[in-house]
Amino acid sequence: MIKKYRRFTYLFLTAALSPLLAIGFFNGIVDPYGIFNSPKITGFNRLKPKHLTQIRMFKSSEIIRQKPKTVLLGSSRVDFGLYPKHPSLLNPKSGYNLGILGGNIYELRRYLEHAIANQPDLQEVILGIDFFMFNEYNPKIGDRTDARLGKTHLTKQDTLDVIFSFDAIEASLATLSANQAYSNRIVYSDRGMRNSKMLANTIKKSLTFMPKEKVFQRRIKEYFSQERYYKKYRLHKKYLADFKSIVGTCNSNKIKLKAFISPIHANQLKAIKIAGLWPDFETWKREVVTITPLWNFSGYNSITTEPISESMKTFLDSAHYSKEVGDLILTRILDYKTEPVPDDFGVLLTPDNIEAHLEKIRGDRELWVKNNPETVQLLLDIKSEVAGTEEN
């Protein structure tokens, strides 16, 4: 009798668990988020469109696997713009783009710690910082993201989520469908840099063509309407402390650190003024330069003032610079070959020159405003539209 019960129990458990194990095997082979580094097969799982839904998990697992000696750290601006194999880097064969969408400076500190935990011989950090990273209203990262950082292996929770969750099943099916439809739209390179050609899909949510002017306007509207950007702003002392910690960590570990303020298009700079945040913007620059000298690319120059057109080379939208601009940034800050870099692109800020530089930018801004009245009016209209929508 006991043997019959055992046999029944075995058969029951086998019948119950087999579908679950099959699902786990399926998700593991498809690997929709690129967590397990499963073989990439053209027409099957080479294209991973769901990378974009799990960027943080994907990049933390890549750091564990690749153990890079050079890390390009920053927001989505770095994600799109900095090439991890650029010849100016100390380790172009062991570089990784660790740009994180919407990340605040605390999160970047944690990702730096994660990189060091997995590569004690980390030698170089290129850090792109942004105004919004230090905003108190740019929320702290989730506990699950925080919990996975600093680990030298995938967490149990992440593993279970990727293998057995309903979201993972949906992501695997979407991966199969996308690979059967097309196989040349790679979202991320093997070094963590996002394919800029995919930006259209991330901001338009469709494949319908959108003129460049509309792309810029849409991004500006996003910045006006979201608290983490320009809707509300308060410079967070704790985030300044996190930035100081990044500098201190690099110094104590003898890591070569090069920090810079990311370039944004001139109309994005004017949006900061229209939002009433220009004093905060200047105060932020004063504060960060007391922590470490850093390069500033966010003024009005031949790169950031390029007229908006379908053929423009410098910006993907008002906030994200192109790889071509990223190459100029690396060339400038690493003193690789300065000849191709415009003379007005990039200024090394120190406590000694910060006030003169801020004054120059104010003058440059007024000149740009005078020469671009239609763009300025459009920005004012967008701000009014956002305010009107919020009131209603």
CSV table of all heavy atoms in Angstrom, one decimal, residues 297-348:
chain,number,residue,atom,x,y,z
A,297,PHE,N,30.5,70.3,-20.6
A,297,PHE,CA,30.1,70.3,-22.1
A,297,PHE,C,28.7,70.9,-22.2
A,297,PHE,O,28.1,70.8,-23.3
A,297,PHE,CB,30.2,68.9,-22.7
A,297,PHE,CG,31.6,68.3,-22.7
A,297,PHE,CD1,32.0,67.5,-21.7
A,297,PHE,CD2,32.4,68.6,-23.8
A,297,PHE,CE1,33.3,67.0,-21.7
A,297,PHE,CE2,33.7,68.1,-23.8
A,297,PHE,CZ,34.2,67.3,-22.8
A,298,SER,N,28.1,71.4,-21.2
A,298,SER,CA,26.7,71.8,-21.2
A,298,SER,C,26.4,73.2,-21.5
A,298,SER,O,25.3,73.7,-21.3
A,298,SER,CB,26.1,71.5,-19.8
A,298,SER,OG,26.6,72.3,-18.8
A,299,GLY,N,27.4,73.9,-22.0
A,299,GLY,CA,27.2,75.3,-22.4
A,299,GLY,C,26.7,75.5,-23.8
A,299,GLY,O,26.3,74.5,-24.5
A,300,TYR,N,26.7,76.7,-24.3
A,300,TYR,CA,26.3,77.0,-25.7
A,300,TYR,C,27.6,77.0,-26.5
A,300,TYR,O,28.5,77.8,-26.3
A,300,TYR,CB,25.6,78.4,-25.7
A,300,TYR,CG,24.3,78.4,-25.0
A,300,TYR,CD1,24.2,78.5,-23.7
A,300,TYR,CD2,23.1,78.3,-25.8
A,300,TYR,CE1,23.0,78.6,-23.0
A,300,TYR,CE2,21.9,78.3,-25.1
A,300,TYR,CZ,21.8,78.5,-23.7
A,300,TYR,OH,20.6,78.5,-23.1
A,301,ASN,N,27.7,76.0,-27.4
A,301,ASN,CA,28.9,75.9,-28.3
A,301,ASN,C,28.5,75.4,-29.6
A,301,ASN,O,27.3,75.2,-29.9
A,301,ASN,CB,29.9,75.0,-27.6
A,301,ASN,CG,29.2,73.7,-27.1
A,301,ASN,OD1,28.8,72.9,-27.9
A,301,ASN,ND2,29.3,73.4,-25.8
A,302,SER,N,29.4,75.1,-30.5
A,302,SER,CA,29.1,74.7,-31.8
A,302,SER,C,28.5,73.3,-31.9
A,302,SER,O,27.8,73.0,-32.9
A,302,SER,CB,30.4,74.6,-32.7
A,302,SER,OG,31.4,73.8,-32.0
A,303,ILE,N,28.6,72.5,-30.9
A,303,ILE,CA,27.9,71.2,-30.8
A,303,ILE,C,26.5,71.4,-30.3
A,303,ILE,O,25.5,70.9,-31.0
A,303,ILE,CB,28.7,70.2,-29.9
A,303,ILE,CG1,30.1,70.0,-30.4
A,303,ILE,CG2,27.9,68.9,-29.8
A,303,ILE,CD1,30.2,69.4,-31.8
A,304,THR,N,26.3,72.0,-29.2
A,304,THR,CA,25.0,72.1,-28.6
A,304,THR,C,24.0,73.0,-29.3
A,304,THR,O,22.8,73.0,-29.0
A,304,THR,CB,25.1,72.5,-27.1
A,304,THR,OG1,25.7,73.8,-27.0
A,304,THR,CG2,25.9,71.5,-26.3
A,305,THR,N,24.5,73.9,-30.2
A,305,THR,CA,23.6,74.8,-30.8
A,305,THR,C,23.3,74.4,-32.3
A,305,THR,O,22.8,75.2,-33.1
A,305,THR,CB,24.2,76.2,-30.8
A,305,THR,OG1,25.5,76.2,-31.4
A,305,THR,CG2,24.3,76.7,-29.4
A,306,GLU,N,23.7,73.2,-32.7
A,306,GLU,CA,23.4,72.8,-34.1
A,306,GLU,C,21.9,72.9,-34.3
A,306,GLU,O,21.1,72.4,-33.5
A,306,GLU,CB,23.9,71.3,-34.3
A,306,GLU,CG,23.6,70.9,-35.7
A,306,GLU,CD,23.9,69.4,-36.0
A,306,GLU,OE1,24.3,68.7,-35.0
A,306,GLU,OE2,23.8,69.0,-37.2
A,307,PRO,N,21.5,73.5,-35.4
A,307,PRO,CA,20.1,73.6,-35.8
A,307,PRO,C,19.4,72.2,-35.9
A,307,PRO,O,20.0,71.2,-36.3
A,307,PRO,CB,20.0,74.3,-37.1
A,307,PRO,CG,21.3,75.1,-37.1
A,307,PRO,CD,22.3,74.2,-36.4
A,308,ILE,N,18.2,72.1,-35.4
A,308,ILE,CA,17.5,70.8,-35.4
A,308,ILE,C,17.1,70.5,-36.9
A,308,ILE,O,16.4,71.3,-37.6
A,308,ILE,CB,16.2,70.9,-34.6
A,308,ILE,CG1,16.6,71.2,-33.1
A,308,ILE,CG2,15.5,69.6,-34.6
A,308,ILE,CD1,15.5,71.5,-32.2
A,309,SER,N,17.5,69.3,-37.3
A,309,SER,CA,17.1,68.9,-38.7
A,309,SER,C,17.2,67.4,-38.7
A,309,SER,O,17.8,66.7,-37.8
A,309,SER,CB,18.1,69.5,-39.7
A,309,SER,OG,19.4,68.9,-39.6
A,310,GLU,N,16.7,66.8,-39.8
A,310,GLU,CA,16.7,65.4,-40.0
A,310,GLU,C,18.1,64.8,-40.2
A,310,GLU,O,18.4,63.7,-39.9
A,310,GLU,CB,15.9,64.9,-41.2
A,310,GLU,CG,14.4,65.4,-41.1
A,310,GLU,CD,13.7,64.9,-39.8
A,310,GLU,OE1,14.0,63.8,-39.3
A,310,GLU,OE2,12.9,65.7,-39.2
A,311,SER,N,19.0,65.7,-40.6
A,311,SER,CA,20.4,65.3,-40.9
A,311,SER,C,21.4,65.6,-39.8
A,311,SER,O,22.6,65.4,-40.0
A,311,SER,CB,20.9,65.9,-42.2
A,311,SER,OG,20.9,67.3,-42.1
A,312,MET,N,20.9,66.2,-38.7
A,312,MET,CA,21.9,66.6,-37.6
A,312,MET,C,22.6,65.4,-37.1
A,312,MET,O,22.1,64.3,-36.9
A,312,MET,CB,21.1,67.4,-36.5
A,312,MET,CG,20.2,66.6,-35.6
A,312,MET,SD,19.3,67.6,-34.5
A,312,MET,CE,20.6,68.5,-33.6
A,313,LYS,N,23.9,65.7,-36.7
A,313,LYS,CA,24.8,64.6,-36.3
A,313,LYS,C,25.0,64.6,-34.8
A,313,LYS,O,25.6,63.6,-34.3
A,313,LYS,CB,26.2,64.8,-37.0
A,313,LYS,CG,26.2,64.9,-38.5
A,313,LYS,CD,25.9,63.5,-39.1
A,313,LYS,CE,26.0,63.5,-40.6
A,313,LYS,NZ,25.8,62.2,-41.2
A,314,THR,N,24.6,65.6,-34.1
A,314,THR,CA,25.1,65.8,-32.7
A,314,THR,C,24.1,65.2,-31.7
A,314,THR,O,24.6,64.7,-30.7
A,314,THR,CB,25.3,67.3,-32.4
A,314,THR,OG1,24.1,68.0,-32.7
A,314,THR,CG2,26.4,67.8,-33.2
A,315,PHE,N,22.8,65.3,-31.9
A,315,PHE,CA,21.8,64.9,-30.9
A,315,PHE,C,20.8,64.0,-31.5
A,315,PHE,O,20.3,64.3,-32.6
A,315,PHE,CB,21.2,66.2,-30.2
A,315,PHE,CG,22.1,66.8,-29.2
A,315,PHE,CD1,23.0,67.8,-29.7
A,315,PHE,CD2,22.1,66.5,-27.9
A,315,PHE,CE1,23.9,68.4,-28.7
A,315,PHE,CE2,22.9,67.1,-27.0
A,315,PHE,CZ,23.8,68.1,-27.4
A,316,LEU,N,20.4,63.0,-30.7
A,316,LEU,CA,19.3,62.2,-31.0
A,316,LEU,C,17.9,62.8,-30.6
A,316,LEU,O,16.9,62.6,-31.3
A,316,LEU,CB,19.4,60.8,-30.3
A,316,LEU,CG,20.8,60.1,-30.4
A,316,LEU,CD1,20.8,58.9,-29.5
A,316,LEU,CD2,21.0,59.8,-31.9
A,317,ASP,N,18.0,63.6,-29.5
A,317,ASP,CA,16.9,64.4,-29.1
A,317,ASP,C,17.5,65.5,-28.3
A,317,ASP,O,18.7,65.6,-28.2
A,317,ASP,CB,15.7,63.6,-28.4
A,317,ASP,CG,16.2,62.9,-27.1
A,317,ASP,OD1,17.2,63.4,-26.5
A,317,ASP,OD2,15.7,61.9,-26.7
A,318,SER,N,16.7,66.3,-27.6
A,318,SER,CA,17.3,67.5,-26.8
A,318,SER,C,18.1,67.1,-25.7
A,318,SER,O,18.9,67.9,-25.2
A,318,SER,CB,16.1,68.4,-26.3
A,318,SER,OG,15.3,67.7,-25.4
A,319,ALA,N,18.0,65.8,-25.2
A,319,ALA,CA,18.8,65.4,-24.0
A,319,ALA,C,19.9,64.4,-24.3
A,319,ALA,O,20.8,64.2,-23.5
A,319,ALA,CB,17.8,64.8,-23.0
A,320,HIS,N,19.8,63.7,-25.4
A,320,HIS,CA,20.7,62.6,-25.7
A,320,HIS,C,21.7,62.9,-26.9
A,320,HIS,O,21.2,63.1,-28.0
A,320,HIS,CB,20.0,61.3,-26.0
A,320,HIS,CG,19.2,60.8,-24.8
A,320,HIS,ND1,17.8,61.2,-24.6
A,320,HIS,CD2,19.5,60.1,-23.7
A,320,HIS,CE1,17.4,60.6,-23.5
A,320,HIS,NE2,18.4,60.0,-22.9
A,321,TYR,N,23.0,63.0,-26.6
A,321,TYR,CA,23.9,63.2,-27.6
A,321,TYR,C,24.3,61.9,-28.4
A,321,TYR,O,24.1,60.8,-27.9
A,321,TYR,CB,25.2,63.9,-27.0
A,321,TYR,CG,25.9,63.1,-25.9
A,321,TYR,CD1,26.8,62.1,-26.2
A,321,TYR,CD2,25.6,63.4,-24.6
A,321,TYR,CE1,27.4,61.5,-25.1
A,321,TYR,CE2,26.2,62.7,-23.5
A,321,TYR,CZ,27.1,61.8,-23.8
A,321,TYR,OH,27.7,61.1,-22.8
A,322,SER,N,24.8,62.1,-29.5
A,322,SER,CA,25.1,60.9,-30.4
A,322,SER,C,26.5,60.3,-30.1
A,322,SER,O,27.3,60.9,-29.3
A,322,SER,CB,25.1,61.4,-31.9
A,322,SER,OG,26.2,62.3,-32.1
A,323,LYS,N,26.8,59.2,-30.6
A,323,LYS,CA,28.1,58.6,-30.5
A,323,LYS,C,29.2,59.5,-31.0
A,323,LYS,O,30.3,59.5,-30.4
A,323,LYS,CB,28.2,57.2,-31.2
A,323,LYS,CG,29.5,56.6,-31.1
A,323,LYS,CD,29.6,55.3,-32.0
A,323,LYS,CE,31.1,54.8,-32.0
A,323,LYS,NZ,32.0,55.7,-32.6
A,324,GLU,N,28.9,60.2,-32.1
A,324,GLU,CA,29.9,61.1,-32.6
A,324,GLU,C,30.3,62.2,-31.6
A,324,GLU,O,31.5,62.5,-31.5
A,324,GLU,CB,29.4,61.8,-33.9
A,324,GLU,CG,29.3,60.9,-35.1
A,324,GLU,CD,28.1,60.0,-35.1
A,324,GLU,OE1,27.2,60.1,-34.2
A,324,GLU,OE2,27.9,59.1,-36.0
A,325,VAL,N,29.3,62.7,-30.9
A,325,VAL,CA,29.6,63.6,-29.8
A,325,VAL,C,30.3,62.9,-28.6
A,325,VAL,O,31.3,63.5,-28.0
A,325,VAL,CB,28.3,64.3,-29.3
A,325,VAL,CG1,28.6,65.2,-28.1
A,325,VAL,CG2,27.8,65.2,-30.5
A,326,GLY,N,29.9,61.7,-28.3
A,326,GLY,CA,30.6,61.0,-27.3
A,326,GLY,C,32.0,60.8,-27.6
A,326,GLY,O,32.9,60.8,-26.7
A,327,ASP,N,32.4,60.5,-28.8
A,327,ASP,CA,33.8,60.4,-29.2
A,327,ASP,C,34.5,61.6,-29.0
A,327,ASP,O,35.7,61.6,-28.5
A,327,ASP,CB,33.9,59.9,-30.7
A,327,ASP,CG,33.4,58.5,-30.9
A,327,ASP,OD1,33.3,57.7,-29.9
A,327,ASP,OD2,33.2,58.1,-32.1
A,328,LEU,N,33.9,62.8,-29.3
A,328,LEU,CA,34.6,64.1,-29.0
A,328,LEU,C,34.8,64.3,-27.5
A,328,LEU,O,35.8,64.8,-27.1
A,328,LEU,CB,33.7,65.2,-29.6
A,328,LEU,CG,33.5,65.3,-31.1
A,328,LEU,CD1,32.6,66.4,-31.5
A,328,LEU,CD2,34.9,65.4,-31.8
A,329,ILE,N,33.8,63.9,-26.7
A,329,ILE,CA,34.0,64.0,-25.3
A,329,ILE,C,35.2,63.2,-24.8
A,329,ILE,O,36.0,63.7,-24.0
A,329,ILE,CB,32.7,63.6,-24.5
A,329,ILE,CG1,31.5,64.5,-24.8
A,329,ILE,CG2,32.9,63.4,-23.0
A,329,ILE,CD1,30.2,64.0,-24.3
A,330,LEU,N,35.2,61.9,-25.2
A,330,LEU,CA,36.4,61.1,-24.7
A,330,LEU,C,37.7,61.6,-25.2
A,330,LEU,O,38.7,61.6,-24.5
A,330,LEU,CB,36.1,59.7,-25.2
A,330,LEU,CG,35.0,58.9,-24.5
A,330,LEU,CD1,34.8,57.6,-25.2
A,330,LEU,CD2,35.2,58.8,-23.0
A,331,THR,N,37.7,62.1,-26.5
A,331,THR,CA,38.9,62.6,-27.0
A,331,THR,C,39.4,63.8,-26.2
A,331,THR,O,40.6,64.0,-26.0
A,331,THR,CB,38.7,63.0,-28.5
A,331,THR,OG1,38.4,61.9,-29.3
A,331,THR,CG2,39.9,63.7,-29.1
A,332,ARG,N,38.5,64.7,-25.8
A,332,ARG,CA,38.8,65.9,-25.1
A,332,ARG,C,39.3,65.6,-23.7
A,332,ARG,O,40.4,66.0,-23.3
A,332,ARG,CB,37.6,66.8,-25.0
A,332,ARG,CG,37.8,68.1,-24.1
A,332,ARG,CD,38.8,69.0,-24.8
A,332,ARG,NE,38.2,69.9,-25.7
A,332,ARG,CZ,38.8,70.5,-26.8
A,332,ARG,NH1,40.1,70.3,-26.9
A,332,ARG,NH2,38.1,71.3,-27.6
A,333,ILE,N,38.5,64.8,-22.9
A,333,ILE,CA,38.8,64.7,-21.5
A,333,ILE,C,40.0,63.7,-21.3
A,333,ILE,O,40.7,63.8,-20.3
A,333,ILE,CB,37.6,64.1,-20.7
A,333,ILE,CG1,37.2,62.7,-21.1
A,333,ILE,CG2,36.4,65.1,-20.9
A,333,ILE,CD1,36.1,62.2,-20.3
A,334,LEU,N,40.3,62.9,-22.3
A,334,LEU,CA,41.4,62.0,-22.1
A,334,LEU,C,42.7,62.4,-22.9
A,334,LEU,O,43.7,61.8,-23.0
A,334,LEU,CB,41.0,60.6,-22.6
A,334,LEU,CG,40.0,59.9,-21.7
A,334,LEU,CD1,39.5,58.6,-22.3
A,334,LEU,CD2,40.4,59.7,-20.3
A,335,ASP,N,42.5,63.6,-23.5
A,335,ASP,CA,43.6,64.3,-24.2
A,335,ASP,C,44.2,63.3,-25.3
A,335,ASP,O,45.4,63.1,-25.3
A,335,ASP,CB,44.7,64.7,-23.3
A,335,ASP,CG,45.7,65.7,-23.9
A,335,ASP,OD1,45.3,66.4,-24.9
A,335,ASP,OD2,46.8,65.8,-23.4
A,336,TYR,N,43.3,62.6,-26.0
A,336,TYR,CA,43.8,61.6,-26.9
A,336,TYR,C,44.3,62.3,-28.2
A,336,TYR,O,45.5,62.2,-28.5
A,336,TYR,CB,42.6,60.6,-27.2
A,336,TYR,CG,43.0,59.6,-28.2
A,336,TYR,CD1,44.0,58.7,-28.0
A,336,TYR,CD2,42.2,59.5,-29.4
A,336,TYR,CE1,44.3,57.7,-28.9
A,336,TYR,CE2,42.5,58.5,-30.3
A,336,TYR,CZ,43.5,57.6,-30.1
A,336,TYR,OH,43.8,56.6,-31.0
A,337,LYS,N,43.4,62.9,-29.0
A,337,LYS,CA,43.8,63.7,-30.2
A,337,LYS,C,42.8,64.8,-30.2
A,337,LYS,O,41.6,64.7,-30.4
A,337,LYS,CB,43.6,62.8,-31.4
A,337,LYS,CG,44.6,61.7,-31.6
A,337,LYS,CD,44.3,60.9,-32.8
A,337,LYS,CE,45.3,59.7,-32.9
A,337,LYS,NZ,45.0,58.9,-34.1
A,338,THR,N,43.3,66.0,-29.8
A,338,THR,CA,42.5,67.2,-29.7
A,338,THR,C,42.1,67.9,-31.0
A,338,THR,O,41.2,68.7,-31.0
A,338,THR,CB,43.1,68.2,-28.7
A,338,THR,OG1,44.4,68.5,-29.2
A,338,THR,CG2,43.3,67.6,-27.3
A,339,GLU,N,42.8,67.6,-32.0
A,339,GLU,CA,42.6,68.3,-33.3
A,339,GLU,C,41.1,68.3,-33.8
A,339,GLU,O,40.6,69.3,-34.2
A,339,GLU,CB,43.5,67.8,-34.4
A,339,GLU,CG,45.0,68.2,-34.1
A,339,GLU,CD,45.9,67.8,-35.2
A,339,GLU,OE1,45.4,67.2,-36.2
A,339,GLU,OE2,47.1,68.0,-35.1
A,340,PRO,N,40.5,67.1,-33.8
A,340,PRO,CA,39.1,67.1,-34.3
A,340,PRO,C,38.0,67.7,-33.4
A,340,PRO,O,36.9,67.8,-33.9
A,340,PRO,CB,38.8,65.6,-34.5
A,340,PRO,CG,39.9,64.8,-33.9
A,340,PRO,CD,40.9,65.8,-33.4
A,341,VAL,N,38.4,68.0,-32.2
A,341,VAL,CA,37.4,68.6,-31.3
A,341,VAL,C,37.3,70.1,-31.4
A,341,VAL,O,38.3,70.8,-31.4
A,341,VAL,CB,37.8,68.2,-29.8
A,341,VAL,CG1,36.7,68.7,-28.9
A,341,VAL,CG2,38.0,66.7,-29.7
A,342,PRO,N,36.1,70.6,-31.6
A,342,PRO,CA,36.0,72.1,-31.7
A,342,PRO,C,36.5,72.8,-30.5
A,342,PRO,O,36.4,72.3,-29.4
A,342,PRO,CB,34.4,72.3,-31.8
A,342,PRO,CG,33.9,71.0,-32.4
A,342,PRO,CD,34.8,69.9,-31.8
A,343,ASP,N,37.2,73.9,-30.7
A,343,ASP,CA,37.8,74.6,-29.6
A,343,ASP,C,36.8,75.0,-28.5
A,343,ASP,O,37.2,75.1,-27.3
A,343,ASP,CB,38.5,75.9,-30.1
A,343,ASP,CG,39.7,75.5,-31.0
A,343,ASP,OD1,40.2,74.4,-30.9
A,343,ASP,OD2,40.1,76.4,-31.8
A,344,ASP,N,35.6,75.2,-28.8
A,344,ASP,CA,34.6,75.7,-27.8
A,344,ASP,C,33.9,74.6,-27.1
A,344,ASP,O,33.0,74.8,-26.3
A,344,ASP,CB,33.6,76.7,-28.5
A,344,ASP,CG,32.7,76.0,-29.6
A,344,ASP,OD1,33.0,74.9,-29.9
A,344,ASP,OD2,31.8,76.7,-30.0
A,345,PHE,N,34.2,73.3,-27.4
A,345,PHE,CA,33.5,72.2,-26.9
A,345,PHE,C,34.3,71.6,-25.7
A,345,PHE,O,35.3,70.9,-25.9
A,345,PHE,CB,33.2,71.2,-27.9
A,345,PHE,CG,32.3,70.1,-27.5
A,345,PHE,CD1,31.0,70.3,-27.0
A,345,PHE,CD2,32.7,68.7,-27.5
A,345,PHE,CE1,30.2,69.3,-26.6
A,345,PHE,CE2,31.9,67.7,-27.1
A,345,PHE,CZ,30.6,68.0,-26.6
A,346,GLY,N,33.9,71.9,-24.5
A,346,GLY,CA,34.5,71.3,-23.3
A,346,GLY,C,35.4,72.3,-22.6
A,346,GLY,O,36.4,72.8,-23.2
A,347,VAL,N,35.1,72.6,-21.3
A,347,VAL,CA,35.9,73.4,-20.5
A,347,VAL,C,36.2,72.7,-19.2
A,347,VAL,O,35.2,72.2,-18.6
A,347,VAL,CB,35.2,74.8,-20.2
A,347,VAL,CG1,36.0,75.6,-19.3
A,347,VAL,CG2,35.0,75.6,-21.5
A,348,LEU,N,37.4,72.7,-18.7
A,348,LEU,CA,37.7,72.1,-17.5
A,348,LEU,C,37.4,73.1,-16.4
A,348,LEU,O,38.0,74.1,-16.3
A,348,LEU,CB,39.2,71.7,-17.4
A,348,LEU,CG,39.7,71.0,-16.1
A,348,LEU,CD1,38.9,69.7,-15.9
A,348,LEU,CD2,41.2,70.7,-16.1
